[in-house]
Coordinates of all heavy atoms in Angstrom, one line a residue:
M1 N 88.4 84.2 134.0 CA 89.4 84.9 133.1 C 88.6 85.8 132.2 O 87.6 85.3 131.5 CB 90.2 83.9 132.4 CG 91.1 84.5 131.3 SD 92.2 83.3 130.6 CE 92.9 84.3 129.2
I2 N 88.9 87.0 132.1 CA 88.2 87.9 131.2 C 88.9 87.9 129.8 O 90.1 88.1 129.7 CB 88.2 89.4 131.7 CG1 87.4 89.4 133.1 CG2 87.6 90.3 130.7 CD1 87.5 90.7 133.8
T3 N 88.1 87.7 128.8 CA 88.7 87.7 127.4 C 88.4 89.0 126.8 O 87.2 89.4 126.6 CB 88.1 86.6 126.6 OG1 88.4 85.3 127.3 CG2 88.7 86.5 125.2
Q4 N 89.4 89.8 126.4 CA 89.2 91.0 125.7 C 88.7 90.8 124.3 O 89.2 89.8 123.7 CB 90.6 91.8 125.6 CG 91.1 92.2 127.0 CD 90.4 93.4 127.6 OE1 89.7 94.1 126.9 NE2 90.5 93.5 128.9
P5 N 87.8 91.6 123.8 CA 87.4 91.4 122.4 C 88.6 91.7 121.5 O 89.4 92.6 121.8 CB 86.3 92.4 122.2 CG 86.5 93.4 123.3 CD 87.1 92.7 124.5
A6 N 88.7 91.0 120.5 CA 89.8 91.2 119.5 C 89.7 92.6 118.9 O 88.6 92.9 118.5 CB 89.8 90.1 118.5
P7 N 90.8 93.3 118.9 CA 90.7 94.6 118.2 C 90.4 94.4 116.7 O 90.8 93.5 116.1 CB 92.1 95.2 118.4 CG 93.0 94.1 118.7 CD 92.1 93.0 119.4
A8 N 89.7 95.4 116.2 CA 89.3 95.4 114.8 C 89.9 96.6 114.1 O 90.1 97.6 114.7 CB 87.8 95.3 114.7
C9 N 90.1 96.4 112.8 CA 90.5 97.5 112.0 C 89.5 98.7 112.1 O 88.3 98.5 112.2 CB 90.6 97.1 110.5 SG 91.1 98.4 109.4
W10 N 90.1 99.9 112.1 CA 89.2 101.1 112.3 C 88.2 101.2 111.2 O 87.1 101.8 111.4 CB 90.0 102.4 112.3 CG 90.8 102.6 111.1 CD1 92.1 102.2 110.8 CD2 90.3 103.3 109.9 NE1 92.4 102.6 109.5 CE2 91.3 103.2 108.9 CE3 89.1 103.9 109.5 CZ2 91.2 103.8 107.6 CZ3 88.9 104.4 108.3 CH2 90.0 104.4 107.3
L11 N 88.4 100.6 110.0 CA 87.5 100.8 108.9 C 86.4 99.8 109.1 O 86.6 98.6 109.0 CB 88.3 100.5 107.6 CG 87.4 100.7 106.3 CD1 87.0 102.2 106.2 CD2 88.2 100.3 105.1
V12 N 85.2 100.4 109.3 CA 84.0 99.5 109.5 C 83.8 98.6 108.3 O 83.8 99.1 107.2 CB 82.8 100.4 109.8 CG1 81.5 99.5 109.9 CG2 83.0 101.3 111.0
G13 N 83.7 97.4 108.6 CA 83.4 96.4 107.5 C 84.7 95.7 107.1 O 84.6 94.7 106.4
C14 N 85.9 96.2 107.5 CA 87.1 95.5 107.2 C 87.3 94.4 108.1 O 87.3 94.5 109.3 CB 88.3 96.5 107.3 SG 89.9 95.7 106.9
A15 N 87.5 93.2 107.6 CA 87.6 92.0 108.4 C 89.0 91.5 108.6 O 89.3 90.5 109.2 CB 86.7 90.9 107.8
T16 N 90.0 92.3 108.0 CA 91.4 91.9 108.1 C 91.9 92.2 109.5 O 91.7 93.3 110.1 CB 92.2 92.7 107.1 OG1 91.6 92.6 105.8 CG2 93.6 92.2 107.1
P17 N 92.5 91.2 110.2 CA 93.0 91.5 111.5 C 94.0 92.6 111.5 O 94.9 92.7 110.7 CB 93.7 90.2 111.9 CG 93.1 89.1 111.0 CD 92.7 89.9 109.7
P18 N 93.9 93.6 112.5 CA 94.8 94.7 112.5 C 96.2 94.2 112.9 O 96.3 93.3 113.7 CB 94.2 95.6 113.5 CG 93.3 94.8 114.4 CD 92.8 93.7 113.5
T19 N 97.2 94.9 112.4 CA 98.6 94.6 112.7 C 99.3 95.8 113.4 O 100.4 95.6 113.9 CB 99.3 94.2 111.5 OG1 99.1 95.2 110.5 CG2 98.8 92.8 110.9
V20 N 98.7 97.0 113.3 CA 99.4 98.1 113.8 C 98.3 99.0 114.6 O 97.1 98.8 114.5 CB 100.0 99.0 112.7 CG1 101.1 98.2 112.0 CG2 99.0 99.5 111.8
Q21 N 98.8 99.9 115.4 CA 97.9 100.8 116.1 C 98.6 102.2 116.3 O 99.8 102.3 116.2 CB 97.5 100.3 117.4 CG 98.6 100.2 118.4 CD 98.1 100.0 119.8 OE1 97.4 100.8 120.4 NE2 98.4 98.8 120.4
W22 N 97.8 103.2 116.5 CA 98.2 104.5 116.9 C 97.2 105.1 117.9 O 96.3 104.4 118.3 CB 98.4 105.4 115.7 CG 97.2 105.7 114.9 CD1 96.3 106.7 115.0 CD2 96.8 104.9 113.7 NE1 95.4 106.6 114.0 CE2 95.6 105.5 113.2 CE3 97.3 103.7 113.1 CZ2 95.0 105.0 112.1 CZ3 96.6 103.2 112.0 CH2 95.5 103.8 111.5
R23 N 97.5 106.3 118.4 CA 96.6 106.8 119.5 C 95.8 108.0 119.0 O 96.3 108.8 118.2 CB 97.5 107.3 120.7 CG 98.5 106.3 121.2 CD 97.8 105.1 121.8 NE 97.1 105.4 123.0 CZ 96.5 104.5 123.8 NH1 96.6 103.2 123.5 NH2 95.8 104.8 124.8
R24 N 94.6 108.1 119.5 CA 93.7 109.2 119.2 C 93.3 109.8 120.5 O 92.9 109.1 121.4 CB 92.5 108.7 118.4 CG 91.6 109.8 117.9 CD 90.8 109.3 116.7 NE 89.9 108.2 117.1 CZ 89.3 107.4 116.2 NH1 89.5 107.6 114.9 NH2 88.5 106.5 116.6
R25 N 93.2 111.1 120.6 CA 92.8 111.8 121.8 C 91.3 111.5 122.0 O 90.5 111.6 121.1 CB 93.0 113.3 121.6 CG 92.7 114.1 122.9 CD 93.6 113.9 124.0 NE 95.0 114.2 123.7 CZ 96.1 113.9 124.4 NH1 95.9 113.2 125.6 NH2 97.3 114.3 124.1
A26 N 91.0 111.1 123.2 CA 89.6 110.8 123.5 C 88.8 112.1 123.7 O 89.3 112.9 124.5 CB 89.4 109.8 124.7
A27 N 87.7 112.3 123.1 CA 86.9 113.5 123.2 C 86.5 113.7 124.7 O 86.0 112.9 125.3 CB 85.7 113.5 122.3
G28 N 86.8 114.9 125.2 CA 86.3 115.3 126.5 C 87.2 114.9 127.6 O 87.1 115.4 128.7
I29 N 88.0 113.9 127.5 CA 88.9 113.5 128.5 C 90.3 113.6 128.1 O 90.6 113.4 126.9 CB 88.5 112.1 129.1 CG1 88.1 111.2 127.9 CG2 87.5 112.1 130.1 CD1 87.8 109.8 128.3
G30 N 91.2 113.8 129.0 CA 92.6 113.9 128.6 C 93.3 112.6 128.4 O 94.5 112.4 128.8
D31 N 92.6 111.7 127.9 CA 93.2 110.3 127.7 C 93.3 110.1 126.2 O 92.7 110.8 125.3 CB 92.3 109.3 128.4 CG 93.1 108.0 128.7 OD1 94.3 107.9 128.3 OD2 92.6 107.2 129.4
T32 N 93.9 109.0 125.8 CA 93.9 108.6 124.4 C 93.4 107.2 124.3 O 93.3 106.4 125.2 CB 95.4 108.6 123.9 OG1 96.2 107.7 124.7 CG2 96.0 110.0 123.9
T33 N 92.9 107.0 123.1 CA 92.3 105.7 122.8 C 93.0 105.0 121.6 O 93.4 105.8 120.7 CB 90.8 105.8 122.5 OG1 90.2 104.6 122.3 CG2 90.5 106.7 121.3
P34 N 93.2 103.8 121.6 CA 94.0 103.2 120.5 C 93.1 103.0 119.3 O 91.9 102.9 119.3 CB 94.3 101.8 121.1 CG 93.3 101.5 122.1 CD 92.9 102.8 122.7
V35 N 93.7 103.2 118.1 CA 93.1 103.0 116.8 C 93.9 101.8 116.2 O 95.1 101.9 116.1 CB 93.2 104.2 116.0 CG1 92.5 104.0 114.6 CG2 92.5 105.4 116.6
Y36 N 93.2 100.8 115.8 CA 93.9 99.7 115.2 C 93.7 99.7 113.7 O 92.7 100.2 113.2 CB 93.3 98.4 115.7 CG 93.5 98.3 117.2 CD1 92.5 98.6 118.1 CD2 94.7 97.8 117.8 CE1 92.6 98.5 119.5 CE2 94.9 97.7 119.1 CZ 93.8 98.1 120.0 OH 94.0 98.0 121.3
A37 N 94.6 99.2 113.0 CA 94.5 99.1 111.5 C 95.2 97.9 111.0 O 96.2 97.4 111.5 CB 95.1 100.4 110.9
C38 N 94.7 97.4 109.9 CA 95.3 96.3 109.2 C 96.4 96.9 108.2 O 96.5 98.2 108.1 CB 94.3 95.5 108.4 SG 93.6 96.4 107.0
H39 N 97.1 96.1 107.5 CA 98.1 96.6 106.6 C 97.6 97.6 105.6 O 98.2 98.7 105.4 CB 98.6 95.4 105.7 CG 99.7 94.6 106.4 ND1 99.7 94.3 107.7 CD2 100.9 94.0 105.8 CE1 100.8 93.5 108.0 NE2 101.5 93.4 106.9
A40 N 96.4 97.3 105.0 CA 95.9 98.1 103.9 C 95.4 99.5 104.4 O 95.3 100.4 103.7 CB 94.8 97.4 103.2
H41 N 95.1 99.6 105.7 CA 94.4 100.8 106.2 C 95.3 101.5 107.2 O 94.7 102.3 108.0 CB 93.0 100.4 106.7 CG 92.1 99.8 105.7 ND1 91.5 98.6 105.9 CD2 91.9 100.2 104.4 CE1 90.8 98.3 104.8 NE2 91.0 99.2 103.9
A42 N 96.5 101.2 107.3 CA 97.4 101.9 108.3 C 97.8 103.2 107.7 O 98.1 103.4 106.5 CB 98.7 101.0 108.5
I43 N 97.9 104.2 108.6 CA 98.5 105.5 108.2 C 100.0 105.4 108.2 O 100.5 104.3 108.5 CB 98.0 106.6 109.2 CG1 98.5 106.4 110.6 CG2 96.5 106.8 109.1 CD1 98.2 107.5 111.6
S44 N 100.7 106.4 107.9 CA 102.2 106.3 107.9 C 102.8 106.1 109.3 O 102.1 106.4 110.3 CB 102.8 107.6 107.3 OG 102.6 108.6 108.2
L45 N 103.9 105.5 109.3 CA 104.6 105.3 110.5 C 104.9 106.6 111.3 O 104.7 106.7 112.5 CB 105.9 104.5 110.3 CG 106.8 104.2 111.5 CD1 105.9 103.3 112.5 CD2 108.0 103.4 111.1
D46 N 105.3 107.6 110.5 CA 105.5 108.9 111.1 C 104.2 109.4 111.7 O 104.1 110.0 112.8 CB 106.0 109.9 110.1 CG 107.5 109.7 109.8 OD1 108.1 109.0 110.6 OD2 107.9 110.3 108.8
G47 N 103.1 109.3 111.0 CA 101.8 109.7 111.5 C 101.4 109.0 112.8 O 100.8 109.5 113.7
A48 N 101.7 107.7 112.8 CA 101.3 106.9 114.0 C 102.1 107.3 115.2 O 101.7 106.9 116.3 CB 101.5 105.4 113.6
A49 N 103.2 108.0 115.1 CA 103.9 108.4 116.3 C 103.2 109.6 117.0 O 103.6 109.8 118.2 CB 105.3 108.9 115.8
H50 N 102.3 110.2 116.4 CA 101.6 111.3 117.0 C 100.3 110.9 117.6 O 99.7 109.9 117.2 CB 101.3 112.4 115.9 CG 102.5 113.0 115.3 ND1 102.9 114.3 115.6 CD2 103.4 112.5 114.4 CE1 104.0 114.6 114.9 NE2 104.3 113.5 114.2
V51 N 99.8 111.7 118.5 CA 98.4 111.5 119.0 C 97.5 112.3 118.1 O 97.7 113.5 117.8 CB 98.3 112.0 120.5 CG1 96.8 112.0 120.9 CG2 99.2 111.2 121.4
H52 N 96.4 111.6 117.6 CA 95.5 112.3 116.6 C 94.3 112.9 117.3 O 94.0 112.6 118.5 CB 95.1 111.2 115.6 CG 96.3 110.8 114.7 ND1 96.4 111.2 113.4 CD2 97.4 110.2 115.0 CE1 97.5 110.8 112.9 NE2 98.1 110.1 113.8
Q53 N 93.7 113.8 116.5 CA 92.5 114.5 117.0 C 91.3 113.5 117.3 O 91.2 112.5 116.6 CB 92.1 115.6 116.0 CG 93.2 116.6 115.7 CD 93.6 117.4 116.9 OE1 92.8 117.7 117.8 NE2 94.8 117.8 117.0
P54 N 90.4 113.9 118.2 CA 89.3 113.0 118.4 C 88.5 112.7 117.2 O 87.9 111.6 117.0 CB 88.4 113.8 119.4 CG 89.4 114.7 120.1 CD 90.4 115.0 119.1
A55 N 88.4 113.7 116.3 CA 87.5 113.5 115.1 C 88.3 112.9 113.9 O 87.8 112.8 112.8 CB 86.9 114.8 114.7
C56 N 89.6 112.5 114.2 CA 90.4 112.0 113.1 C 89.8 110.8 112.5 O 89.5 109.9 113.2 CB 91.8 111.7 113.6 SG 92.9 110.9 112.4
T57 N 89.8 110.8 111.2 CA 89.4 109.6 110.5 C 90.5 109.4 109.4 O 90.9 110.3 108.8 CB 88.0 109.7 109.8 OG1 88.0 110.8 108.9 CG2 86.9 109.8 110.8
A58 N 90.9 108.2 109.3 CA 91.9 107.9 108.3 C 91.2 107.5 107.0 O 90.8 106.4 106.7 CB 92.8 106.7 108.7
D59 N 90.9 108.5 106.2 CA 90.2 108.4 104.9 C 90.9 107.4 104.0 O 92.0 107.6 103.7 CB 90.0 109.8 104.3 CG 89.2 109.7 103.0 OD1 88.9 108.6 102.5 OD2 88.8 110.8 102.5
P60 N 90.2 106.3 103.6 CA 90.9 105.3 102.8 C 91.4 106.0 101.5 O 92.5 105.5 101.0 CB 89.7 104.3 102.4 CG 88.8 104.5 103.6 CD 88.8 105.9 104.0
A61 N 90.8 107.0 101.0 CA 91.2 107.7 99.8 C 92.5 108.5 100.0 O 93.2 108.9 99.1 CB 90.2 108.6 99.2
R62 N 92.8 108.8 101.3 CA 94.0 109.6 101.6 C 95.1 108.9 102.3 O 96.2 109.5 102.5 CB 93.5 110.8 102.5 CG 92.5 111.7 101.9 CD 92.1 112.8 102.8 NE 93.2 113.6 103.3 CZ 93.1 114.7 104.0 NH1 91.9 115.2 104.3 NH2 94.2 115.4 104.5
L63 N 94.9 107.6 102.6 CA 96.0 106.9 103.2 C 97.3 106.9 102.4 O 97.2 106.9 101.2 CB 95.5 105.4 103.4 CG 94.5 105.2 104.5 CD1 93.9 103.8 104.4 CD2 95.0 105.5 105.8
P64 N 98.4 107.0 103.0 CA 98.6 106.8 104.5 C 98.5 108.1 105.2 O 99.0 108.2 106.4 CB 100.0 106.2 104.6 CG 100.7 106.8 103.4 CD 99.7 107.0 102.3
S65 N 97.9 109.2 104.7 CA 97.6 110.3 105.5 C 96.2 110.2 106.2 O 95.5 109.3 105.9 CB 97.5 111.6 104.6 OG 98.8 111.8 104.0
C66 N 95.9 111.1 107.1 CA 94.6 111.1 107.8 C 94.0 112.4 107.6 O 94.5 113.3 107.0 CB 94.8 110.7 109.2 SG 95.6 112.0 110.2
S67 N 92.8 112.6 108.2 CA 92.0 113.8 108.0 C 92.4 114.9 109.0 O 91.8 116.0 108.9 CB 90.6 113.5 108.1 OG 90.2 113.0 109.4
C68 N 93.2 114.7 110.0 CA 93.4 115.7 111.0 C 94.9 116.2 111.0 O 95.7 115.6 110.3 CB 93.1 115.1 112.4 SG 94.4 114.2 113.2
T69 N 95.1 117.2 111.8 CA 96.5 117.6 112.0 C 96.9 117.0 113.4 O 96.4 117.5 114.4 CB 96.6 119.1 112.1 OG1 96.2 119.7 110.8 CG2 98.1 119.6 112.3
P70 N 97.7 116.0 113.4 CA 98.1 115.4 114.7 C 98.7 116.3 115.7 O 99.3 117.3 115.3 CB 99.0 114.2 114.3 CG 98.8 114.1 112.8 CD 98.4 115.4 112.3
E71 N 98.6 116.0 116.9 CA 99.3 116.8 118.0 C 100.8 116.7 117.8 O 101.3 115.7 117.3 CB 98.9 116.3 119.4 CG 97.4 116.4 119.7 CD 97.1 115.8 121.1 OE1 98.0 115.5 121.8 OE2 95.9 115.8 121.4
P72 N 101.5 117.8 118.1 CA 103.0 117.8 118.0 C 103.5 116.7 118.9 O 102.9 116.4 119.9 CB 103.4 119.2 118.4 CG 102.3 119.8 119.1 CD 101.0 119.1 118.6
L73 N 104.7 116.2 118.5 CA 105.3 115.2 119.4 C 105.8 115.9 120.7 O 106.2 117.0 120.6 CB 106.5 114.6 118.6 CG 106.2 113.7 117.4 CD1 107.5 113.3 116.7 CD2 105.4 112.5 117.8
P74 N 105.7 115.1 121.8 CA 106.3 115.7 123.0 C 107.8 115.8 122.9 O 108.4 115.2 122.1 CB 105.8 114.7 124.1 CG 105.7 113.4 123.3 CD 105.2 113.8 121.9
P75 N 108.4 116.6 123.8 CA 109.8 116.7 123.9 C 110.4 115.3 124.0 O 109.8 114.4 124.7 CB 110.1 117.5 125.1 CG 108.9 118.3 125.3 CD 107.7 117.5 124.8
A76 N 111.6 115.1 123.5 CA 112.2 113.8 123.5 C 112.3 113.1 124.8 O 112.1 111.9 125.0 CB 113.6 113.8 122.8
D77 N 112.5 114.0 125.9 CA 112.7 113.4 127.2 C 111.4 113.1 127.9 O 111.4 112.6 129.0 CB 113.6 114.3 128.1 CG 112.9 115.7 128.3 OD1 111.9 115.9 127.6 OD2 113.4 116.5 129.1
E78 N 110.3 113.3 127.2 CA 109.0 113.0 127.7 C 108.3 111.9 126.9 O 107.2 111.5 127.2 CB 108.0 114.2 127.7 CG 108.5 115.3 128.7 CD 107.5 116.5 128.7 OE1 106.4 116.3 128.2 OE2 107.9 117.5 129.2
V79 N 109.0 111.4 125.9 CA 108.4 110.4 125.1 C 108.4 109.1 125.9 O 109.4 108.6 126.4 CB 109.2 110.2 123.8 CG1 108.7 109.0 123.0 CG2 109.2 111.4 122.9
P80 N 107.2 108.5 126.0 CA 107.1 107.2 126.8 C 107.8 106.1 126.0 O 107.9 106.2 124.7 CB 105.6 107.0 126.9 CG 105.0 107.8 125.8 CD 105.9 109.0 125.5
V81 N 108.2 105.2 126.7 CA 108.8 104.0 126.0 C 107.8 103.3 125.1 O 106.7 103.0 125.6 CB 109.4 103.0 127.0 CG1 110.0 101.8 126.3 CG2 110.4 103.7 127.9
A82 N 108.1 103.3 123.9 CA 107.2 102.7 122.9 C 107.1 101.2 123.1 O 108.1 100.5 123.5 CB 107.7 102.9 121.5
P83 N 105.9 100.6 123.0 CA 105.8 99.2 123.1 C 106.6 98.5 122.0 O 106.8 99.1 120.9 CB 104.3 98.9 123.0 CG 103.8 100.1 122.2 CD 104.6 101.3 122.6
A84 N 107.0 97.3 122.3 CA 107.8 96.6 121.3 C 106.9 96.4 120.0 O 105.8 96.0 120.1 CB 108.3 95.3 121.8
P85 N 107.4 96.8 118.9 CA 106.6 96.6 117.7 C 106.5 95.1 117.3 O 107.3 94.3 117.8 CB 107.4 97.3 116.6 CG 108.9 97.2 117.1 CD 108.8 97.3 118.6
P86 N 105.5 94.7 116.6 CA 105.4 93.4 116.2 C 106.6 93.0 115.3 O 107.3 93.9 114.8 CB 104.0 93.3 115.4 CG 103.5 94.7 115.3 CD 104.4 95.6 116.1
A87 N 106.7 91.7 115.0 CA 107.8 91.3 114.1 C 107.7 92.1 112.8 O 106.6 92.4 112.3 CB 107.6 89.8 113.8
A88 N 108.9 92.5 112.3 CA 108.9 93.3 111.1 C 108.2 92.7 110.0 O 107.5 93.4 109.2 CB 110.4 93.5 110.7
A89 N 108.2 91.4 109.9 CA 107.5 90.8 108.7 C 106.0 91.0 108.9 O 105.2 90.7 107.9 CB 107.8 89.3 108.7
N90 N 105.5 91.5 110.0 CA 104.1 91.6 110.3 C 103.7 93.1 110.1 O 102.5 93.4 110.4 CB 103.8 91.1 111.7 CG 102.3 90.8 111.8 OD1 101.6 90.4 110.9 ND2 101.7 91.0 113.0
L91 N 104.5 93.9 109.6 CA 104.2 95.3 109.4 C 103.9 95.6 108.0 O 104.4 95.0 107.1 CB 105.4 96.2 109.9 CG 105.7 96.2 111.4 CD1 107.0 97.0 111.6 CD2 104.6 96.8 112.2
P92 N 103.0 96.7 107.8 CA 102.8 97.1 106.4 C 104.1 97.5 105.8 O 105.0 98.0 106.5 CB 101.9 98.3 106.6 CG 101.3 98.2 107.9 CD 102.3 97.5 108.8
P93 N 104.2 97.4 104.5 CA 105.5 97.8 103.8 C 106.0 99.2 104.1 O 107.2 99.4 104.3 CB 105.1 97.7 102.3 CG 104.0 96.7 102.3 CD 103.2 96.9 103.5
H94 N 105.0 100.1 104.3 CA 105.5 101.5 104.6 C 105.8 101.7 106.0 O 106.1 102.8 106.5 CB 104.5 102.5 104.0 CG 103.1 102.5 104.6 ND1 102.2 101.5 104.3 CD2 102.5 103.3 105.5 CE1 101.1 101.7 104.9 NE2 101.2 102.8 105.7
W95 N 105.7 100.7 106.8 CA 106.1 100.7 108.3 C 107.4 100.0 108.5 O 107.9 100.0 109.6 CB 105.0 100.1 109.1 CG 103.9 101.0 109.5 CD1 103.2 101.7 108.6 CD2 103.3 101.3 110.8 NE1 102.2 102.4 109.3 CE2 102.2 102.1 110.6 CE3 103.6 100.8 112.1 CZ2 101.5 102.6 111.6 CZ3 102.8 101.2 113.1 CH2 101.8 102.1 112.9
A96 N 108.0 99.4 107.5 CA 109.2 98.6 107.7 C 110.3 99.5 108.1 O 110.5 100.5 107.5 CB 109.5 97.9 106.4
P97 N 111.1 99.1 109.1 CA 112.3 99.8 109.5 C 113.3 99.8 108.4 O 113.3 98.8 107.6 CB 112.7 99.1 110.8 CG 112.2 97.7 110.7 CD 110.9 97.8 109.9
P98 N 114.2 100.8 108.4 CA 115.2 100.8 107.4 C 116.1 99.6 107.6 O 116.3 99.2 108.8 CB 116.0 102.1 107.6 CG 115.6 102.5 109.0 CD 114.2 102.0 109.2
P99 N 116.6 99.0 106.6 CA 117.5 97.8 106.7 C 118.8 98.2 107.5 O 119.3 99.3 107.4 CB 117.8 97.4 105.3 CG 117.6 98.6 104.5 CD 116.5 99.4 105.2
T100 N 119.2 97.3 108.4 CA 120.4 97.5 109.1 C 121.6 96.9 108.4 O 121.4 95.9 107.6 CB 120.3 96.9 110.5 OG1 120.0 95.5 110.4 CG2 119.3 97.6 111.4
S101 N 122.7 97.5 108.5 CA 123.9 97.1 107.7 C 124.9 96.3 108.6 O 126.0 96.3 108.3 CB 124.6 98.3 107.1 OG 125.0 99.2 108.2
S102 N 124.4 95.6 109.6 CA 125.3 94.9 110.5 C 125.5 93.5 109.9 O 124.7 93.0 109.2 CB 124.7 94.7 111.9 OG 123.4 94.1 111.8
Ligands
ZN201 ZN1 91.5 97.3 107.4
ZN202 ZN1 94.9 112.1 112.3

């Protein structure tokens, strides 16, 4: 059985287990690579919906913004099904879904 290394927060030296992720375009190839972040170092939920530039760095001083201009969102009918988000209680405050009135 192969054990994947636990993902780490993008901020080097941050030991907090990441709770969220977004995608960054991999340099040179048409693929994307996941970027993981803990609560304190997550970009905005809107920003995380976009694919970011290869050189994107989420500057701690600019959070929840990042240093790049993310790629535009694909047309709605091409949006892949998003993975199920973690439990709401496990999301950074600025990622919390709006309260439902049911
Ligand atoms: Zn962190
Ligand atoms: Zn970015």
Side-chain angles (χ1 to χ4, degrees):
M1 174 177 171
I2 298 173
T3 303
Q4 297 285 339
C9 179
W10 63 268
L11 185 64
V12 176
C14 176
T16 308
T19 50
V20 299
Q21 67 165 294
W22 58 92
R23 309 293 297 184
R24 186 161 60 194
R25 186 68 62 190
I29 37 178
D31 204 351
T32 57
T33 183
V35 179
Y36 299 97
C38 69
H39 275 42
H41 302 127
I43 61 172
S44 70
L45 180 56
D46 282 348
H50 297 254
V51 174
H52 289 254
Q53 304 295 327
C56 173
T57 55
D59 183 346
R62 295 178 56 169
L63 288 171
S65 295
C66 68
S67 65
C68 83
T69 301
E71 296 180 9
L73 291 175
D77 60 354
E78 293 180 17
V79 175
V81 177
N90 201 29
L91 291 173
H94 61 286
W95 278 49
T100 53
S101 57
S102 59

